[in-house]
Amino acid sequence: MAKKKSDEKEHIRVVTDKSVQFLEKYINNASPTGFEWQGQKLWLDYIKPYIDETYVDNYGTAVGIINPKAPYRVVIEAHADEISWFVNYITSDGLIYVIRNGGSDHQIAPSKRVNIHTTKGVVKAIFGWPAIHTRSGEKEEAPTLKNIFLDCGATSKAEVEALGIHVGCVITYEDEFMILNDRYYVGRALDNRVGGFMIAEVARLLKENKKKLDFGLYIVNAVQEEIGLRGAEMIADYIKPNVAIITDVTHDTQTPMINKITQGDLACGRGPVVSYAPAIQNNLNKLLIETAETKAIPFQRQASSRSTGTDTDAFAYSNGGVPSVLISLPLRYMHTTVEMIHKEDVDNVISLIYETLLALKTGQDFRYSNLPEATKKKK
């Protein structure tokens, strides 16, 4: 790795070796949308030493709470679910066709190994694809939802069903976590279980550094983001927070076939991404940016045209309007099995959330200035 320039702040590592062991276990565990519970149990077990109480709602959103009796409530939030597939149709000769559960990418499916989750346990299968030899001389057919299929080694529908597979069984990829060139974390479901990891690390830092907050902190690992921010909608209504700080991933735009003119200029290794969008509350965002600058935490900027497409939107527009901001983590190859994030960015997102919480005052009012007296109608 290149040496730091003399005017650059030396990077301070936040994530510990023990933390990385949890991250690896957490990423490798399957938590498809609507079936997140096993991952949530792992997360709750990890965060338990650093919090006062836990809460789990009817659909599986998990919350760790510090100072639960405090009237002023601050949320830090990520989402726990990963993209996946559903069994949709089983042919008479034992092949399985699928539909999406979230934004699964049909183009990466051929030749991938998968786990089909059944009440009898996990059944291994593969996404089959015709050999290149059989496609020569003809127009190439691209993978689509109409032609990708699973092969679990069965030769009939009855044999498939005997394995416990039925329409509605959820399917996940089996690819696992690794560290690439001692610089990047790589794996499936970093979108956005790494967010759950980062907010848990914030709780750890608060506990280990003996920081006492004078407001209630709700550390939220929400379900069902991938199909429409549903978990965030439900938990925002339950908590009724005064402030929400959301973390999710965004696109690194430095690799081929990505247009920076439309997607922005963002890169892994350059720090957390601060967003600008209608759902972003500007005064809270100002506190976030000032904190980053004061603490010399590198950051990037991103603009979103209408919505952020993250749980930020759900929190911002709940309960009559909740001041909300988004801290994003640059990620390469989103919704593939080799999602890739920079280790230093992870540290810096954790640090930015942590330092922003310490800068936040209980009862802080982020409303914009009232209308000036001159605009009021005179009697």
Side-chain angles (χ1 to χ4, degrees):
M1 191 178 294
K3 290 183 179 179
K4 297 275 186 184
K5 295 177 182 178
S6 58
D7 60 343
E8 286 184 1
K9 180 186 176 186
E10 188 69 25
H11 177 75
I12 299 173
R13 187 184 181 201
V14 175
V15 173
T16 66
D17 291 340
K18 185 177 179 182
S19 300
V20 174
Q21 290 174 10
F22 164 70
L23 176 60
E24 179 172 2
K25 184 178 181 181
Y26 185 46
I27 293 301
N28 289 348
N29 176 82
S31 280
T33 301
F35 301 83
E36 299 95 344
W37 182 235
Q38 291 301 320
Q40 296 291 63
K41 285 168 66 176
L42 290 174
W43 186 80
L44 284 169
D45 286 344
Y46 181 73
I47 201 173
K48 205 168 223 179
Y50 313 127
I51 58 175
D52 299 323
E53 288 183 8
T54 62
Y55 172 78
V56 180
D57 75 6
N58 288 329
Y59 278 83
T61 290
V63 186
I65 310 168
I66 298 171
N67 296 342
K69 294 182 180 179
Y72 193 80
R73 294 177 293 279
V74 175
V75 160
I76 58 175
E77 191 261 13
H79 74 83
D81 58 322
E82 67 178 288
I83 58 166
S84 55
W85 303 95
F86 279 125
V87 172
N88 188 50
Y89 171 62
I90 304 169
T91 71
S92 59
D93 52 0
L95 298 176
I96 300 166
Y97 286 84
V98 299
I99 58 172
R100 293 186 179 96
N101 184 20
S104 299
D105 188 346
H106 52 274
Q107 292 204 48
I108 71 159
S111 82
K112 286 291 185 184
R113 303 181 187 198
V114 300
N115 295 322
I116 305 175
H117 301 267
T118 80
T119 55
K120 294 183 177 181
V122 169
V123 176
K124 298 288 184 180
I126 59 169
F127 273 107
W129 193 246
I132 189 170
H133 316 70
T134 66
R135 307 197 310 268
S136 60
E138 299 176 12
K139 184 179 178 182
E140 288 280 355
E141 188 172 354
T144 69
L145 272 178
K146 294 179 181 179
N147 62 22
I148 59 173
F149 61 91
L150 290 176
D151 189 333
C152 65
T155 58
S156 68
K157 182 177 181 179
E159 191 177 350
V160 170
E161 292 175 337
L163 293 171
I165 300 170
H166 56 75
V167 170
C169 281
V170 71
I171 304 147
T172 57
Y173 294 115
E174 66 172 27
D175 299 63
E176 296 191 338
F177 178 89
M178 71 174 182
I179 298 176
L180 187 65
N181 195 27
D182 197 30
R183 183 177 288 135
Y184 293 99
Y185 301 128
V186 177
R188 42 159 267 284
L190 289 172
D191 174 15
N192 180 36
R193 284 214 290 288
V194 71
F197 168 73
M198 292 189 297
I199 58 176
E201 289 294 275
V202 172
R204 177 179 66 80
L205 290 183
L206 290 169
K207 184 75 171 183
E208 292 179 354
N209 294 334
K210 297 181 171 57
K211 299 295 183 182
K212 300 294 184 183
L213 302 176
D214 57 0
F215 49 79
L217 181 63
Y218 293 72
I219 303 150
V220 177
N221 209 13
V223 299
Q224 299 195 27
E225 186 272 350
E226 294 290 356
I227 48 86
L229 323 182
R230 301 308 185 191
E233 289 178 357
M234 291 183 275
I235 202 65
D237 184 60
Y238 175 80
I239 296 173
K240 294 180 169 50
N242 299 96
V243 170
I245 300 171
I246 314 304
T247 187
D248 206 330
V249 296
T250 191
H251 301 288
D252 170 292
T253 61
Q254 307 306 306
T255 54
M257 298 184 288
I258 299 178
N259 187 339
K260 292 179 184 176
I261 294 173
T262 58
Q263 299 297 320
D265 186 7
L266 302 170
C268 290
R270 290 189 199 159
V273 177
V274 175
S275 282
Y276 295 83
I280 302 298
Q281 213 279 346
N282 292 312
N283 288 335
L284 181 57
N285 216 28
K286 182 180 178 182
L287 174 65
L288 189 73
I289 292 167
E290 288 175 348
T291 300
E293 292 172 340
T294 301
K295 297 299 179 179
I297 300 170
F299 68 94
Q300 307 172 75
R301 302 177 196 260
Q302 180 177 39
S304 299
S305 181
R306 292 178 62 86
S307 67
T308 70
T310 72
D311 283 342
T312 312
D313 304 326
F315 275 92
Y317 301 129
S318 70
N319 299 290
V322 175
S324 301
V325 290
L326 173 63
I327 304 173
S328 297
L329 179 73
L331 175 145
R332 290 185 173 185
Y333 319 124
M334 194 181 294
H335 286 199
T336 73
T337 59
V338 290
E339 294 179 332
M340 185 169 157
I341 54 176
H342 201 289
K343 293 166 68 173
E344 291 188 4
D345 289 339
V346 173
D347 288 334
N348 284 322
V349 169
I350 295 166
S351 295
L352 183 52
I353 298 173
Y354 172 80
E355 296 292 351
T356 302
L357 291 176
L358 296 183
L360 192 60
K361 297 178 176 62
T362 189
Q364 196 159 347
D365 189 342
F366 289 98
R367 286 178 294 182
Y368 304 128
S369 298
N370 292 326
L371 290 173
E373 290 293 324
T375 64
K376 294 181 180 178
K377 291 183 179 180
K378 294 181 180 181
K379 293 182 179 179

